[in-house]
Amino acid sequence: MRNSLDPAALDAAIENVHRAGMPGLFAEVRDGDQVWRGAAGVADVATGRPVTADMRHRVGSITKAFTAAAVLQQVESGQIGLDSPIGRYLPRLVPGERGDAITVRMLLNHTSGLAEYLPYAYPSLKAFPDLANTSPQSLDDLRFTRFDPVELIELGVAAPAVGAPGGALGLYSNTNYLLLVELLEQATGTTAERYITENVIERAGLQDTEIPTGPHVNGPHSQLYEAWFGMIDPPRDYSVFDMSWVGPSASLISTVTDLNRFYGMLLAGEIVSPSSLAQMRRTVQVVSQEGKTIEYGLGLYPVEEPGQDTFWGHGGTVWGGGALAMTRADGKRQMAVAVNLQRWNRLDSSGRPQAHPIDGALEALYRVAMYG
């Protein structure tokens, strides 16, 4: 049977990522009715407590698929115009000509030209993307800071534009999704957290997924180890962290099982309508936070390998944690992987991240998980 699950190959692949230097990781792979769950390594390097496949985890920008789905529900109900200017809804946040030129779609697919606010919110990251001249100091300084989303948006809007609205090449920016959160609140008359919880998370029947309000991860979870390109050695645990620096655009806590359930239902047209899903899968070229040019839709992006079926989903990172969730276009084959170390690549003499054995081992795990 093509692409049927191979538990032994998956067990070996996940173990290889741990051996390559990942403290701990866990995953769920589905193929029709077949399900494999696996874990390798530790959730706590101090105690040796093992990771397990049912752990709750900060999944970062995978949240953007949830936010985008919520916005598209409001497009379906006529409250929001997908190609309407954001200045029509939020004139004080994006004033003047830019507010007239930037549409809701451009925020969703990162072609607004609005800069990323993070290097302005975290002083020690000001030089980003010049990594050699950044430091992780402000991650510690601001661990329990309660950011105001409007102030973060203002930092991104005030920063030099990174492109013209609707330009041929977009740039991934959290400023876009914080604006969508504000738009969602204006359209629904409630908080984005409540709307997304009731209309996306609960609609999908996700039992272990939430947008956190405090700095802790509730329930069984791993510590999250941040290396910041070798500048934190040994890597430091940032699992306790106030997530208001990204809010409901990247703060979701979930499980690998819930992520697969969500993407399965989304791609089946059960969270948004089939026509909205078609809009989500219309891609443009966007430069990712890692500096790579990728195809990006509305809160979704594809993984395409020659001679293989296309998968759709999203990845995400927070300080110390990361995840990737991908579902084949027909919904039958699914993969969700969570890791508890971030930015493990040290910088070379020119300030670029060096290759690390974890990179190849993770790619091999993704290939086995998606293509068998």
Side-chain angles (χ1 to χ4, degrees):
M1 202 172 97
R2 187 175 72 100
N3 282 4
S4 66
L5 289 188
D6 184 340
L10 288 161
D11 288 340
I14 199 169
E15 190 60 44
N16 284 342
V17 182
H18 171 54
R19 285 205 190 111
M22 179 62 63
L25 72 160
F26 48 100
E28 180 187 87
V29 181
R30 290 179 167 269
D31 194 317
D33 295 333
Q34 294 180 286
V35 182
W36 171 89
R37 294 186 186 96
V42 297
D44 186 327
V45 297
T47 66
R49 174 170 61 93
V51 284
T52 57
D54 59 351
M55 282 182 161
R56 305 180 87 227
H57 197 72
R58 298 196 192 278
V59 300
S61 284
I62 289 175
T63 315
K64 288 180 171 60
F66 289 70
T67 308
V71 170
L72 282 157
Q73 288 176 356
Q74 289 299 298
V75 170
E76 290 169 21
S77 71
Q79 294 297 111
I80 294 172
L82 187 54
D83 293 298
S84 296
I86 192 61
R88 178 182 299 174
Y89 305 106
L90 303 171
R92 279 181 297 191
L93 289 178
V94 193
E97 290 182 11
R98 274 171 113 188
D100 293 337
I102 295 170
T103 66
V104 173
R105 185 191 298 273
M106 292 172 199
L107 298 174
L108 285 161
N109 68 14
H110 298 292
T111 59
S112 70
L114 293 170
E116 172 62 67
Y117 63 79
L118 274 179
Y120 302 93
Y122 283 82
S124 69
L125 307 186
K126 187 141 197 232
F128 187 88
D130 176 9
L131 297 172
N133 285 306
T134 64
S135 97
Q137 181 59 48
S138 49
L139 274 61
D140 292 308
D141 296 343
L142 302 174
R143 184 191 282 253
F144 295 107
T145 299
R146 197 78 192 148
F147 285 103
D148 179 336
V150 169
E151 289 176 8
L152 294 174
I153 290 166
E154 287 170 347
L155 291 174
V157 172
V162 293
L169 189 62
L171 185 74
Y172 191 96
S173 167
N174 282 291
T175 307
N176 294 317
Y177 273 73
L178 276 193
L179 275 164
L180 291 166
V181 166
E182 293 296 315
L183 172 63
L184 199 54
E185 298 197 340
Q186 191 197 70
T188 63
T190 187
T191 65
E193 288 92 339
R194 176 177 287 178
Y195 182 85
I196 293 168
T197 298
E198 292 177 355
N199 295 278
V200 181
I201 295 170
E202 291 176 1
R203 185 166 176 173
L206 309 183
Q207 301 293 317
D208 292 300
T209 299
E210 66 173 333
I211 299 169
T213 51
H216 296 273
V217 181
N218 297 321
H221 64 278
S222 173
Q223 312 309 106
L224 301 176
Y225 298 102
E226 179 61 53
W228 196 258
F229 306 102
M231 295 180 211
I232 309 176
D233 191 16
R236 194 171 302 137
D237 172 23
Y238 285 125
S239 56
V240 178
F241 210 100
D242 188 302
M243 295 299 291
S244 59
W245 61 278
V246 281
S249 69
S251 63
L252 202 71
I253 293 168
S254 191
T255 63
V256 289
T257 297
D258 271 6
L259 291 178
N260 279 339
R261 180 176 174 86
F262 166 72
Y263 279 108
M265 293 184 71
L266 181 69
L267 291 177
E270 294 176 32
I271 308 294
V272 299
S273 71
S275 61
S276 291
L277 181 62
Q279 296 290 342
M280 292 181 83
R281 286 162 60 164
R282 276 179 59 186
T283 63
V284 294
Q285 290 201 313
V286 168
V287 177
S288 73
Q289 283 181 314
E290 294 74 39
K292 297 175 183 164
T293 300
I294 61 170
E295 294 291 322
Y296 196 94
L298 309 183
L300 282 181
Y301 61 81
V303 169
E304 298 170 292
E305 291 271 331
Q308 299 285 1
D309 293 318
T310 300
F311 279 70
W312 290 90
H314 212 291
T317 68
V318 295
W319 310 130
L324 178 66
M326 286 285 157
T327 290
R328 200 167 65 199
D330 66 3
K332 297 283 195 305
R333 182 87 175 198
Q334 299 190 275
M335 165 195 88
V337 179
V339 299
N340 67 2
L341 174 69
Q342 277 304 308
R343 287 158 282 272
W344 52 78
N345 306 83
R346 292 176 178 271
L347 302 180
D348 63 20
S349 57
S350 64
R352 283 192 294 265
Q354 294 176 287
H356 189 287
I358 289 174
D359 304 326
L362 261 181
E363 284 299 321
L365 171 60
Y366 297 153
R367 277 197 300 275
V368 173
M370 287 193 286
Y371 308 123

